[in-house]
Amino acid sequence: MSKPAVELEHLLIRGGRVIDPGRDIDAKGDIYIAGGRVVRLDLRGTAALPDNCPVLNADGLVVCPGFIDLHCHLRQPGFEDAETIATGTRAAARGGFTTVCCMPNTEPPIDTAGVVELVRSIAGSEGVVRVLPVGCVSKHRAGKELADFGELSLSGVIGFSDDGSPVADASLMKEALRTAREVDLPVIDHCEDPALSMDGVINEGETARRLGLKGISRASEESVVARDIEIARTTGGRLHVAHVSAAGSADLIRRARSEGLAVTAEVTPHHLTLTEEEVGRVGPSARVNPPLRTQDDIDALIEALEEGVLDAIATDHAPHTARDKDGEFSLAASGISGFETALGSLMGLVHTGSLGIKTLLARLTSGPAGVLRRADIGTLKPGSVADIVVFDPRIEWVVDPADFISMGRNTPLAGRTLRGRVICTLVGGHIAYKDYVVKMRMLKGLENINA
Ligand code: DOR
C-alpha cells in the first residue's frame, strides 16, 4: 500500500459500540491501537491513555473490523478510463473496506504471475487498502485452456475465476477444481449458462415483458450452481459461488453445505436490496449481471445470509465509463459502482428490521475472512492488524454520483437517501479514509489528523 493519507503512531477510539462478529462481541468500549496493531480492547471504558495519544470520540458510532470484499473490479491494467487501483482503493476505503479481492477481467487479464506482480506492485505504490488479486481460470480468460495455477498460486492469488464470464465448459471446470485443490485455493465461478441467458439483459419475468427486454432466467444461474456443486463433490475442490442472485441457488448451496461439501458463496448489496423493477425506474444504471431479481429472491437470500449459507457480502464493484453505460439498455455495460453505497444500502435492511446488524457485519468481516481462510484480518483481536472501520449507523445522506471517489458513477441509487455512513477507515492503524466529521470528533491530537 502507498503511504497513508494520515500516519498515526497510536490512537484511542473511545466509547463506540464495538462489534467484532467473529468473537461475538457487541458492547460499548475503547480500542487502543499502536504500531499498526490492535493493542487493547477495553469494554469497561477504563483504558489508560499514553501521553500524546490522539483520541477519536466514537460515541454513537459503530467500531468494527474493516470490511473484506471478496469481489470487485479495479479495472487496472487496461481499463484505466473506468477505474484505477488508486481511485478504486480510495473508494473502497470510503466504503469501509480494508481488503479487496480484485477480479482478473483486466487487459491483459490476470492469467500469469507477471500480471499478478504488476497489480500487486501498483497496489503497493498507489493503493490505500490491501489488494488481493484473483487469477484467471483460463489462459487469456478464453475459456479453453487452464491457466498455470501453480505459477499463479505462488505469485499470491487468492483463488481463480473467469468472472465476467462463466466457466462454460464443464470439463474445464472439472480440471480447474481438481488443480485448485492441489494448491488449496477456491475456484470462484460466475455461474451462468450462456446457452440459457443468450442475449438476455434483465431478469426473465413480468418486468422484462412489460419493457420488451430479453430475459435471463434463474435457471441460467441455478443449473451451473448445481453442475459446479457436483463437480466439486467428485473432485474435492473448493467452490466459491460468486454473486448469488436466485432463490434456487441458495437452496442448492444450503444442501451442498449440509452434505459437508467445500462450497462457499457471496451475495451483493444490490441483489439484497433492489428488484428488477429498478430497471423500469432508472434504466441502464440498473443493468447488472446476474440481473436484479424479485422480492421473493431477496427474501430467500436474506434468509440464507442469516443462516450463514451465504458466507459473505461482496460488492461486485463494477465501475464503467458514462460512454459504456449510458444509452440504450440492451447495449449498456453490466455493472454497478458499489463501494461507496454498500454500507448505506445494507444498513437500510437493518433499519427496516430485515437483517440483524451482527449478521450484516459478520458477512462483511469474519465471513469473508473465513472464505479466505485468514485469521489475521476481519477481527479486532488484540495483536491483529488494525484494519478498522468506524461508522455512523444513523446518519442520512443523499447519493450523488458526482461526489464519488470512484471514477465509476454508474449507480442506480443516484438521488436516494441512505442511512449509515463510514466516518473513518484505518488500514494497518493508519487513516485511509476520513469523513469531514472526524475533525469534530477528535478530542485530542487534532494536529495529527489535519482533517
Ligand atoms: O455486472 C457485472 N459486471 N457482472 C459481472 O460479472 C462483471 C462485471 C464487470 O466486470 O463489469
Side-chain angles (χ1 to χ4, degrees):
M1 279 163 296
S2 67
K3 212 164 165 306
V6 182
E7 285 189 76
L8 290 173
E9 253 173 65
H10 54 182
L11 173 72
L12 185 81
I13 304 172
R14 181 186 275 167
R17 177 178 175 191
V18 179
I19 304 182
D20 188 0
R23 296 191 303 141
D24 204 22
I25 291 173
D26 181 1
K28 195 166 166 138
D30 295 354
I31 296 184
Y32 175 58
I33 61 183
R37 299 203 167 257
V38 177
V39 173
R40 208 165 50 232
L41 174 57
D42 191 330
L43 299 178
R44 291 185 307 277
T46 53
L49 256 195
D51 285 347
N52 306 322
C53 181
V55 179
L56 176 70
N57 170 17
D59 188 31
L61 306 182
V62 173
V63 182
C64 71
F67 304 150
I68 300 169
D69 191 356
L70 294 176
H71 189 140
C72 74
H73 299 270
L74 296 179
R75 304 293 190 218
Q76 196 174 5
F79 302 109
E80 290 84 353
D81 53 342
E83 190 80 287
T84 66
I85 290 173
T87 57
T89 58
R90 279 166 182 76
R94 189 189 211 180
F97 296 92
T98 52
T99 298
V100 299
C101 303
C102 61
M103 285 294 158
N105 57 342
T106 49
E107 189 49 52
I110 309 178
D111 65 347
T112 62
V115 187
V116 177
E117 273 146 31
L118 174 68
V119 170
R120 282 160 64 106
S121 124
I122 300 170
S125 58
E126 293 166 28
V128 299
V129 304
R130 296 171 208 288
V131 174
L132 306 178
V134 176
C136 289
V137 164
S138 62
K139 288 186 180 159
H140 316 297
R141 257 186 90 250
K144 300 272 182 253
E145 201 187 333
L146 205 68
D148 187 336
F149 281 16
E151 172 189 307
L152 286 168
S153 71
L154 285 175
S155 71
V157 300
I158 54 91
F160 306 99
S161 182
D162 277 353
D163 182 65
S165 310
V167 180
D169 180 335
S171 72
L172 185 69
M173 188 62 180
K174 184 172 174 189
E175 202 186 341
L177 278 163
R178 204 179 45 217
T179 313
R181 185 186 172 180
E182 285 163 18
V183 293
D184 197 20
L185 288 174
V187 175
I188 304 164
D189 201 16
H190 166 127
C191 293
E192 175 182 4
D193 184 338
L196 288 178
S197 47
M198 305 261 280
D199 46 359
V201 291
I202 175 182
N203 182 47
E204 185 176 278
E206 178 51 35
T207 306
R209 277 191 292 279
R210 181 165 54 83
L211 299 175
L213 293 168
K214 290 196 179 147
I216 301 176
S217 65
R218 291 178 186 78
S220 167
E221 175 177 299
E222 291 158 353
S223 59
V224 178
V225 172
R227 179 202 77 172
D228 285 358
I229 288 171
E230 292 316 309
I231 301 175
R233 188 194 305 278
T234 55
T235 57
R238 276 159 65 190
L239 169 70
H240 179 75
V241 182
H243 42 54
V244 174
S245 71
S249 302
D251 289 340
L252 290 162
I253 295 162
R254 180 181 293 108
R255 202 173 68 209
R257 288 170 72 113
S258 74
E259 292 169 354
L261 298 179
V263 177
T264 56
E266 68 188 34
V267 59
T268 71
H270 44 270
H271 290 110
L272 287 169
T273 56
L274 303 174
T275 69
E276 59 182 12
E277 285 158 34
E278 289 302 318
V279 173
R281 202 178 66 83
V282 298
S285 64
R287 180 166 178 194
V288 65
N289 192 19
L292 302 173
R293 304 275 185 194
T294 64
Q295 191 59 45
D296 286 347
D297 294 285
I298 290 182
D299 293 345
L301 295 175
I302 291 178
E303 194 185 333
L305 200 62
E306 286 279 8
E307 288 171 79
V309 164
L310 301 176
D311 305 73
I313 299 174
T315 64
D316 196 5
H317 174 74
H320 288 290
T321 61
R323 187 169 23 87
D324 288 343
K325 196 62 179 164
D326 295 347
E328 197 188 317
F329 192 90
S330 300
L331 301 176
S334 291
I336 290 173
S337 180
F339 282 145
E340 292 166 78
T341 53
L343 179 70
S345 49
L346 292 164
M347 280 303 294
L349 296 173
V350 173
H351 293 307
T352 55
S354 310
L355 185 67
I357 191 165
K358 279 168 84 174
T359 302
L360 168 62
L361 297 180
R363 304 297 173 256
L364 287 166
T365 60
S366 51
V371 174
L372 294 171
R373 301 200 170 161
R374 290 196 48 170
D376 58 330
I377 52 175
T379 174
L380 295 176
K381 195 172 164 182
S384 59
V385 64
D387 288 1
I388 297 176
V389 56
V390 180
F391 69 87
D392 186 327
R394 278 171 287 271
I395 197 167
E396 288 195 352
W397 59 286
V398 177
V399 178
D400 175 6
D403 177 53
F404 278 6
I405 295 175
S406 170
M407 289 163 68
R409 307 283 156 91
N410 47 302
T411 175
L413 299 175
R416 274 298 162 88
T417 300
L418 301 182
R419 216 168 141 211
R421 191 174 75 208
V422 171
I423 299 301
C424 184
T425 304
L426 303 174
V427 178
H430 297 304
I431 297 182
Y433 172 76
K434 56 183 166 26
D435 187 273
Y436 70 96
V437 305
V438 163
K439 200 171 176 176
M440 276 91 85
R441 285 186 168 267
M442 287 310 293
L443 299 178
K444 221 175 130 185
L446 185 57
E447 61 286 355
N448 295 336
I449 294 299
N450 193 27

